[in-house]
Amino acid sequence: MAEHKVPLSAADTVIVNGNVITVDADFSKAQALAIKGNKIVAVGANDEVMALASSHTKVLDLDGGTVIPGIIDPHAHIGLFGMEEHFVKLDGARSVREICDRIRERARQLPAGTVIVTTPVGDHPYFFNVPGILEEGRFPTRQELDEAAPDHPVYITAPTNRIPNSAVFNSLAFKLAGITADSVPPGNPNRVQIRKDAYWLDGIEIPRDHVTGEPIGELRTMNPLYPQSSYFDIITNFVPKPTYEFVREGIRMLAPDFLSLGTTTLLENHLTSPEELRAYAELDLPLRVFCTVELDPNRPMAELEQLVRSIAFASGRGFGNDRVGISGVSIGLDGPHWQGTAVLDEPYMGPFGDLVSPGPLAPVEAYRAVVRLAAQHGLRIHGEAAGRGSVQIFLDTMAKLDREAPIADRRFILEHCEFPTREQIAECKRLGIVPTTATNFIWGKGAEVYLDRLGKEYAENAIPLRWWLDAGVPVCQETDWGPRSPMFTIWQSIARQAGLTGEVIGPHQSISREEALRIFTINGAYALFMEDKLGSIETGKLADLAILSADPMTCAEDDIKDIEVVATLVDGEVVHARDGFPA
């Protein structure tokens, strides 16, 4: 490879005897690199780079260890998932007894009356085989939760990313929710059925004890993020609303997880809040975080105009510095396929076996008006569109904007885009759209949603990375709902396995290892207008690096997902290190 020498004063840090995968234009390899301040000042052979060392230079000898650029994840939800850091974690619990023990331990730590909230039963992120994963093959009962926490309301949440699903309450929680043997909380009486075996509250089913009439504990079809029942907020009103401090501390607690996995930069594409941006600024995280301001087309236009004018300072490439900033605005079109709220181009099977054909989250004309408003103020658009129909609405809207003023150099973002057609991909190329998508969806939803409900034609071309790359579109990989590990996601770009069954879905859409690493590094930098600073290991770029336990380019394919991150550097500083680094 070409020499990269900079005749500067001594480097602060030199990394030698490494397998440096630069992800430059030639995907070249090197042995060593030098860092001064927060930038890479040399990349090359050991002797070339060591020439920049002095007695004050820190020398890290990797003994053949692999170095890659820090991962850039353009859709990871640190603010949303950070709030779960406050909850009792049920991951790995395999019995009702173990669940109750974890709740009992938290109850010992909290004053009586404090609400205890847990993560869903099962394992993140997709909660396969619940409640069958438990020894008893059932959820905890109200009485079992009462024994674990008699003086605390207990709420075992339901998973958001699967329908049907179930939450569980104990007696105090049911009392605070207004659900007893004799009563349900006030609401729309036309949406309530009271049967001997269960209450039905606008889609939420609450089984009852046949003898006492009391709820047994389970609440079926509880959807925390996309509540489809008018009773959801009513019966969960006893749970304290997240405060700013709650959100901020969740982000602080979760950030080390991303760093430990080699992720150094996040783009929070949607489901964002002003509190999150404030938290990123106050916390001064070693993790780079950029976010959008969410616009809801269902809000009054006068209110939206005021909001857009107030954030017009973030026009163009966004506002902020290299560590935190606003990347533009996000405007959503649909919900998830699992809930039956994604907009396709034909009816499809919903979560309860019926055909559904949902419309977009807002009237199309209202959506287009808000997009046009944001674009006229120079703000970059991050459009959320999961289904093929919503992708078409997004592209038609972008084409109309393009006729008014060219948008190809503005790098508008299309997120999710699970089933784009070849024609839609070609239109993205023409309009300069940057898609962010996740092969993790195939892992989590491939069997139960893509194959079972949408059918083979949809499933085989889900998340078509091969089509995107062959068309010359700078598609970006993301983790979204998880798994959070970039190494797992890189493996899934190649393997395309359904997590529940192990079935390979759409092998013709698999990509190479080199391509999988590129779309998670340099393509992510391109999406952020930061390809001159991040995404590859080259002279002059910021020193964001991940040091791995194995080489993802040469190890056995199935071993890629298990590669560990030995150390992570941001701005040349070690922000994560496993025991023994450097050895």
Side-chain angles (χ1 to χ4, degrees):
M1 62 182 289
E3 287 189 357
H4 298 283
K5 288 187 177 181
V6 180
L8 299 174
S9 57
D12 297 321
T13 303
V14 166
I15 297 175
V16 297
N17 293 324
N19 169 37
V20 181
I21 303 174
T22 66
V23 195
D24 63 8
D26 297 322
F27 209 76
S28 58
K29 301 286 186 71
Q31 288 181 306
L33 63 101
I35 301 167
K36 186 170 182 61
N38 65 346
K39 291 184 178 180
I40 299 166
V41 295
V43 182
N46 284 331
D47 56 354
E48 297 169 345
V49 172
M50 280 300 295
L52 296 176
S54 74
S55 59
H56 300 289
T57 299
K58 181 191 300 181
V59 179
L60 301 179
D61 186 339
L62 298 189
D63 191 25
T66 295
V67 186
I68 63 171
I71 296 295
I72 298 172
D73 190 335
H75 193 156
H77 294 305
I78 187 174
L80 179 66
F81 295 139
M83 290 189 284
E84 291 188 353
E85 293 297 297
H86 298 278
F87 298 171
V88 176
K89 303 291 181 61
L90 300 187
D91 289 77
R94 292 295 181 264
S95 68
V96 168
R97 181 188 64 259
E98 190 171 356
I99 289 171
C100 290
D101 284 346
R102 295 186 189 187
I103 292 170
R104 183 178 293 107
E105 179 60 28
R106 180 62 62 89
R108 292 192 186 108
Q109 302 167 9
L110 297 174
T114 305
V115 178
I116 295 175
V117 181
T118 82
T119 59
V121 173
D123 297 335
H124 277 79
Y126 281 101
F127 307 100
F128 296 132
N129 189 28
V130 171
I133 200 171
L134 301 179
E135 289 177 11
E136 299 83 354
R138 62 167 176 81
F139 291 100
T141 65
R142 173 174 58 86
Q143 291 87 350
E144 287 168 327
L145 295 182
D146 289 347
E147 291 174 8
D151 302 318
H152 299 77
V154 175
Y155 173 22
I156 298 177
T157 59
T160 292
N161 57 348
R162 71 171 41 245
I163 293 287
N165 60 20
S166 290
V168 189
F169 284 2
N170 73 346
S171 295
L172 276 177
F174 275 118
K175 180 179 179 180
L176 293 173
I179 301 169
T180 70
D182 305 313
S183 64
V184 295
N188 184 347
N190 297 321
R191 304 298 296 169
V192 176
Q193 293 181 24
I194 300 178
R195 304 191 298 258
K196 185 175 181 179
D197 62 330
Y199 294 115
W200 187 85
L201 305 179
D202 193 17
I204 297 173
E205 183 182 8
I206 306 171
R208 304 172 70 189
D209 183 280
H210 291 285
V211 177
T212 67
E214 294 283 354
I216 63 173
E218 186 180 359
L219 300 94
R220 297 171 181 160
T221 315
M222 291 277 283
N223 202 341
L225 191 58
Y226 304 96
Q228 295 168 302
S229 169
S230 59
Y231 276 81
F232 180 88
D233 289 338
I234 296 172
I235 64 177
T236 60
N237 192 49
F238 66 92
V239 180
K241 300 297 182 287
T243 62
Y244 165 68
E245 290 74 20
F246 188 87
V247 173
R248 182 192 63 204
E249 286 306 293
I251 291 170
R252 182 188 61 77
M253 289 188 286
L254 186 55
D257 283 12
F258 283 99
L259 293 167
S260 73
L261 295 168
T263 300
T264 55
T265 301
L266 300 179
L267 169 61
E268 296 297 284
N269 253 339
H270 76 138
L271 299 176
T272 58
S273 69
E275 287 81 5
E276 290 179 38
L277 180 60
R278 177 185 168 192
Y280 303 143
E282 285 188 1
L283 289 169
D284 191 25
L285 299 170
L287 190 68
R288 304 184 196 278
V289 186
F290 304 92
C291 69
T292 62
V293 175
E294 196 136 11
L295 303 180
D296 180 359
N298 292 301
R299 304 296 298 174
M301 182 54 74
E303 178 182 314
L304 291 168
E305 288 174 348
Q306 182 177 2
L307 175 57
V308 167
R309 285 196 301 271
S310 72
I311 59 172
F313 60 86
S315 63
R317 298 186 174 193
F319 176 82
N321 53 35
D322 291 338
R323 296 294 281 268
V324 62
I326 299 174
S327 181
V329 297
S330 57
I331 309 172
L333 269 167
D334 61 359
H337 289 88
W338 210 310
Q339 277 80 3
T341 55
V343 179
L344 270 65
D345 51 354
E346 61 183 355
Y348 63 100
M349 186 181 295
F352 302 105
D354 55 331
L355 283 180
V356 298
S357 185
L361 296 174
V364 173
E365 289 308 312
Y367 170 80
R368 288 178 174 162
V370 175
V371 168
R372 189 168 186 268
L373 171 68
Q376 287 176 334
H377 281 79
L379 294 165
R380 191 150 65 118
I381 309 298
H382 299 66
E384 181 284 318
R388 193 173 288 171
S390 58
V391 169
Q392 193 59 51
I393 294 170
F394 170 84
L395 289 175
D396 290 346
T397 304
M398 295 300 107
K400 187 173 182 181
L401 284 180
D402 188 63
R403 288 192 293 271
E404 297 174 4
I407 65 170
D409 62 346
R410 298 178 69 175
R411 302 186 192 178
F412 289 169
I413 302 291
L414 171 60
E415 59 183 274
H416 291 151
C417 48
E418 295 173 48
F419 304 101
T421 65
R422 285 182 180 272
E423 293 76 18
Q424 290 173 333
I425 289 171
E427 183 70 346
C428 285
K429 172 68 173 176
R430 185 182 74 84
L431 295 170
I433 302 299
V434 180
T436 70
T437 191
T439 46
N440 284 342
F441 294 157
I442 298 171
W443 175 262
K445 300 186 283 187
E448 296 165 280
V449 178
Y450 290 178
L451 280 170
D452 292 351
R453 284 174 42 191
L454 301 183
K456 188 175 179 63
E457 186 272 331
Y458 271 100
E460 288 293 297
N461 292 304
I463 323 299
L465 296 182
R466 181 77 275 145
W467 284 357
W468 283 116
L469 292 176
D470 287 351
V473 178
V475 64
C476 304
Q477 180 69 276
E478 64 193 24
T479 58
D480 198 357
W481 218 265
R484 198 168 289 145
S485 165
M487 291 299 112
F488 179 95
T489 308
I490 286 171
W491 167 79
Q492 180 67 352
S493 303
I494 303 159
R496 295 179 62 90
Q497 286 188 14
L500 186 64
T501 63
E503 181 175 359
V504 176
I505 296 178
H508 61 285
Q509 293 288 1
S510 178
I511 61 176
S512 72
R513 301 181 191 212
E514 176 181 326
E515 290 168 327
L517 184 55
R518 280 192 183 281
I519 67 174
F520 227 167
T521 52
I522 194 63
N523 284 17
Y526 180 85
L528 286 166
F529 282 104
M530 296 184 74
E531 69 272 21
D532 60 334
K533 296 180 178 181
L534 299 173
S536 62
I537 301 174
E538 299 183 81
T539 300
K541 289 197 172 185
L542 298 172
D544 288 8
L545 311 168
I547 301 172
L548 309 180
S549 63
D551 184 351
M553 299 297 115
T554 59
C555 70
E557 182 179 302
D558 278 348
D559 290 343
I560 297 173
K561 65 182 183 300
D562 300 316
I563 291 175
E564 295 183 338
V565 176
V566 177
T568 305
L569 284 71
V570 174
D571 277 337
E573 297 292 329
V574 176
V575 294
H576 155 75
R578 292 189 180 275
D579 292 343
F581 176 84

